[in-house]
Amino acid sequence: MTFSRPARTGASNRLTRLYLSAPHMSGLESAYVDEAFRTNWLSTVGPNLVGFEAEFSEKIGRPSVALASGTAALHLALRLCGVERGDEVLCSTLTFVASANPIVYQGATPVFIDSERASWNLDPNLLEHALRTRSKKPKALMLVHIFGQSADLDPIVELCDRYGVHLIEDAAEALGASYKGRPVGAFGAVSGFSFNGNKIITTTGGGMLSARDAAWAERARFWSQQARDPGVGFAHSELGFNYRMSNVLAGIGRGQLQVLEQRVARRREVAFEYQRALEPLGGFELMPQAPWGVHTNWLSCFLVDEGELGCSRDWLIGKLAEQDIESRPVWLPMHRQKLYESCTSIGGEVADDLSRRGICLPSSSSLDTEQVARVVTALTETVKAARQNRARQAS
């Protein structure tokens, strides 16, 4: 498979920048947003909120509450699970910091668990070790479904049930993924989703909490609106938060939700286009597609073999940036963050390796084949130049 160099465009003779994961509007959103403006439902109440929650609940199969962010969803999930100051919460170490921070919001302490290589998600064997050996029973597990792929849920659910630990699914990166035919986010006591601008579908900013128990969903909705007690006055018996999504953003979400399957399909196509095109070059290995479900490939993640490529991962990222192509490393594990260096980590070697060698390539569902080809051409030419340079130095 060969690609020609794309032509440069624009007055500045610059290529249009390719972003890692850009918002992709369908056109269906405008009718809902226009209706919100026409009817003046511009606050954190309105028919789009009701509709979005109902449509999302049908998709996941659980009562759901639309919130201001995925982080807000995880924070309220921890509170629903009774996490308090002094508690321990187990957490995937290979994740974005927003998975761990809400644990600290509640005054609890995260204990990080390493990944397994089949999916890059939390290792059930290490989870069992942690649950068996911790002197203090953890209150909850923050399980992250990384980069659009489900963790191996059967053994994880069984372990949490056996040890009486609340399972929270951080599905911020994995809306549309499935595990053995069921949607991710439908297994734990509570789950959180993100609609940030870089996610598969977006409300430009926002999130969703889904709960097994309808009463828990109602409690989260109550807390998200400053926990105002019923009645005409402004009375408050519990601590609340300003976490509710706006009716305008919920309108965007309603339009986006209608094209979720198409967005997932295109992200998967992009990942496999990269895989096929980079295979002859060597040195790039696509993130595994675990056999137990559908991986959305929210981001097209590859492991690089620096010895085979003749250059480092970070050097590649820099060379792509020079050509207006955004890429980035795989997450730096939580146990390597200065913020969390005092926390316990169970394992860590797998996450360290994935973080050291992993690269995320442009993955937007709006990418066309020519744009994917541009990324492949940039990588191919960069690697060939690095190999030639290494050969010259060796001679």
Side-chain angles (χ1 to χ4, degrees), residues 37-241:
F37 275 86
R38 188 184 65 79
T39 57
N40 209 36
W41 286 107
L42 303 178
S43 185
T44 53
V45 292
N48 280 334
L49 270 170
V50 175
F52 188 32
E53 289 177 343
E55 291 150 11
F56 193 91
S57 297
E58 184 176 357
K59 181 80 65 177
I60 301 300
R62 290 189 164 192
S64 301
V65 183
L67 300 170
S69 67
T71 305
L74 298 181
H75 184 199
L76 294 185
L78 288 160
R79 195 173 179 199
L80 286 167
C81 292
V83 173
E84 299 175 335
R85 185 168 300 279
D87 287 334
E88 286 188 349
V89 175
L90 305 177
C91 182
S92 307
T93 193
L94 188 64
T95 185
F96 180 53
V97 74
S99 304
N101 285 349
I103 298 170
V104 181
Y105 298 167
Q106 286 299 101
T109 301
V111 175
F112 299 113
I113 299 181
D114 201 3
S115 301
E116 43 77 21
R117 292 190 181 275
S119 70
W120 296 13
N121 283 297
L122 181 142
D123 187 331
N125 294 317
L126 292 180
L127 173 62
E128 182 173 22
H129 172 77
L131 291 170
R132 190 177 65 249
T133 60
R134 299 299 293 171
S135 58
K136 181 179 182 179
K137 187 180 83 171
K139 183 65 71 70
L141 166 64
M142 183 70 74
L143 174 67
V144 183
H145 302 294
I146 198 78
F147 295 128
Q149 178 153 262
S150 169
D152 190 3
L153 279 156
D154 277 352
I156 292 170
V157 169
E158 190 277 327
L159 285 166
C160 287
D161 288 346
R162 188 198 315 170
Y163 286 90
V165 173
H166 292 294
L167 173 59
I168 300 170
E169 292 181 76
D170 179 350
E173 303 173 9
L175 178 61
S178 66
Y179 181 81
K180 297 185 177 180
R182 293 176 60 193
V184 164
F187 292 81
V190 199
S191 55
F193 300 85
S194 173
F195 308 123
N196 191 29
N198 65 353
K199 296 304 188 290
I200 286 186
I201 66 169
T202 182
T203 58
T204 73
M208 191 75 76
L209 178 147
S210 296
R212 178 189 299 143
D213 188 333
W216 276 28
E218 285 303 314
R219 177 56 56 182
R221 183 177 288 109
F222 173 67
W223 286 336
S224 76
Q225 299 172 108
Q226 298 289 18
R228 180 181 172 184
D229 293 338
V232 297
F234 291 89
H236 303 267
S237 304
E238 298 183 56
L239 180 66
F241 306 90

Side-chain angles (χ1 to χ4, degrees), residues 10 15 39 42 77 184 202 221 231 250 258 311 314 331 333 354 368 370:
L15 287 166
T39 57
L42 303 178
V184 164
T202 182
R221 183 177 288 109
Q258 293 179 50
C311 60
D314 291 350
W331 301 123
L354 298 176
D368 59 29
E370 183 179 354

Side-chain angles (χ1 to χ4, degrees), residues 33 90 96 107 120 170 216 226 266 299 312 341 355 395:
V33 174
L90 305 177
F96 180 53
W120 296 13
D170 179 350
W216 276 28
Q226 298 289 18
R266 181 55 190 155
L299 293 184
S312 72
E341 61 187 3
S355 177
S395 62

